[in-house]
């Protein structure tokens, strides 16, 4: 059984021309048609949502995904902001785990410190349970260190096949990411072409990832799109 996975930071619906409309992201997602889709920077019923609806809910409806979950990171503009999962497989369980915060002293040396979270979902993929762990790491090393520790805590001891994905805001050679590379397989090992994802018009860095455990990576690639400030990452996994 092959499963198509995609992770995409949709920049709250902005395209590179700064036009805010989730139809931009929908165009890129529709072209790939993944079975499981992680979204970062999702507005949930905020003032930025013109119709008052969760952006993930709207995308699920537009693209025909029968299942979705939103995972809050912060309260924001009358609603919430965070990550979301859209799936063609039933979502059996869903829980949000805040990343432990950093100290006030650490915040003094940080730029744009912000609370973050992981969302852990259990999916029924053709009668087999798989675990999907999604997140959006912070910009600062103290935040990233805490996020990595929480990723490893949530993944530790999991016997079912696991997918970990999201915008990690770190390049592959960042020492803070080494424990993740040691615990899980980066699907970019089977990458086709450039796997750089940011910025979308002329990418110079790889900061968006799909890791896995318990699958075989068939292929992975980065579609060309400027419907956000990030390009998405796509991986074909086999179990």
């Amino acid at each position: 059984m092959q499963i198509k996975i995609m992770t995409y930071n949709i920049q709250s619906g902005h395209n590179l021309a700064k036009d805010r409309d989730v139809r931009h992201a929908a165009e890129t997602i529709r072209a790939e048609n993944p079975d499981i889709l992680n979204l970062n920077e999702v507005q949930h019923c905020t003032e930025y949502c013109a119709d008052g609806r969760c952006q993930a809910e709207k995308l699920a409806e537009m693209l025909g995904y029968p299942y979705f979950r939103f995972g809050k990171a912060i309260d924001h503009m009358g609603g919430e902001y965070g990550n979301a999962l859209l799936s063609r497989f039933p979502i059996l369980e869903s829980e949000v785990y805040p990343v432990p915060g950093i100290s006030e002293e650490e915040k003094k040396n940080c730029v744009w410190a912000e609370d973050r979270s992981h969302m852990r979902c259990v999916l029924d993929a053709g009668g087999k349970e798989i675990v999907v762990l999604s997140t959006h790491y912070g910009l600062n090393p103290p935040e990233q260190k805490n996020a990595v520790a929480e990723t490893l805590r949530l993944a530790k001891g999991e016997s079912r096949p696991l997918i970990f994905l999201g915008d990690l805001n770190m390049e592959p050679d960042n020492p803070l990411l080494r424990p993740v590379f040691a615990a899980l397989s980066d699907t970019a090992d089977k990458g086709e072409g450039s796997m750089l994802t940011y910025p979308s018009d002329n990418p110079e860095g790889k900061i968006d990832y799909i890791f896995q455990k318990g699958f075989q990576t068939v292929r992975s690639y980065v579609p060309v799109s400027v419907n956000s400030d990030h390009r998405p990452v796509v991986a074909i996994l086999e179990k």
Side-chain angles (χ1 to χ4, degrees):
M1 178 183 184
Q2 289 193 350
I3 303 173
K4 191 173 191 179
I5 315 296
M6 180 171 171
T7 186
Y8 193 18
N9 182 326
I10 63 169
Q11 198 188 11
S12 299
H14 279 122
N15 66 3
L16 208 61
K18 301 299 182 184
D19 178 36
R20 187 195 299 275
D21 193 320
V22 293
R23 286 179 295 183
H24 302 307
E27 177 185 0
T28 298
I29 297 163
R30 187 180 289 111
E32 298 302 326
N33 192 30
D35 300 305
I36 300 171
L37 169 66
N38 173 64
L39 301 175
N40 298 127
E41 295 194 13
V42 176
Q43 303 279 335
H44 179 76
C45 307
T46 72
E47 295 174 17
Y48 282 153
C49 301
D51 55 5
R53 297 174 61 197
C54 175
Q55 289 182 331
E57 180 184 16
K58 189 170 183 178
L59 283 168
E61 182 180 281
M62 293 170 65
L63 297 167
Y65 283 89
Y67 309 100
F68 87 94
R69 294 289 188 276
F70 170 79
K72 171 187 170 181
I74 59 171
D75 294 319
H76 184 64
M77 298 190 70
E80 298 172 341
Y81 171 88
N83 311 300
L85 192 78
L86 279 61
S87 175
R88 303 204 183 280
F89 302 118
I91 299 175
L92 305 178
E93 302 173 20
S94 177
E95 192 163 357
V96 176
Y97 297 86
V99 172
I102 62 176
S103 69
E104 292 302 317
E105 188 64 28
E106 287 173 316
K107 287 181 182 178
K108 292 179 182 178
N109 297 314
C110 290
V111 177
W112 204 280
E114 183 180 286
D115 291 339
R116 307 282 175 154
S117 69
H118 289 72
M119 182 164 62
R120 177 184 175 276
C121 294
V122 179
L123 278 55
D124 179 356
K128 296 183 179 180
E129 291 187 1
I130 63 174
V131 177
V132 180
L133 187 61
S134 56
T135 194
H136 183 188
Y137 283 0
L139 297 172
N140 303 285
E143 297 175 300
Q144 294 163 350
K145 182 179 178 181
N146 287 359
V148 166
E150 183 68 358
T151 297
L152 297 176
R153 185 187 75 81
L154 292 169
K156 183 180 179 181
E158 180 56 66
S159 59
R160 293 167 292 191
L162 181 141
I163 299 161
F164 169 59
L165 71 177
D167 174 2
L168 304 188
N169 275 314
M170 286 190 281
E171 297 279 0
D173 61 355
N174 190 312
L176 291 175
L177 266 183
R178 287 175 187 162
V180 176
F181 279 99
L184 305 170
S185 297
D186 183 6
T187 60
D189 290 344
K190 293 291 181 71
E192 300 174 357
S194 171
M195 296 300 291
L196 305 180
T197 61
Y198 184 85
S200 61
D201 58 340
N202 185 27
E204 299 176 346
K206 176 191 174 183
I207 59 175
D208 302 271
Y209 298 81
I210 301 175
F211 289 90
Q212 59 86 8
K213 183 179 74 172
F215 293 92
Q216 293 294 324
T217 301
V218 177
R219 58 188 287 247
S220 65
Y221 58 95
V222 172
V224 177
S225 173
V226 292
N227 283 323
S228 170
D229 60 342
H230 289 242
R231 293 184 181 184
V233 179
V234 177
I236 311 295
L237 304 183
E238 189 168 65
K239 182 59 181 173

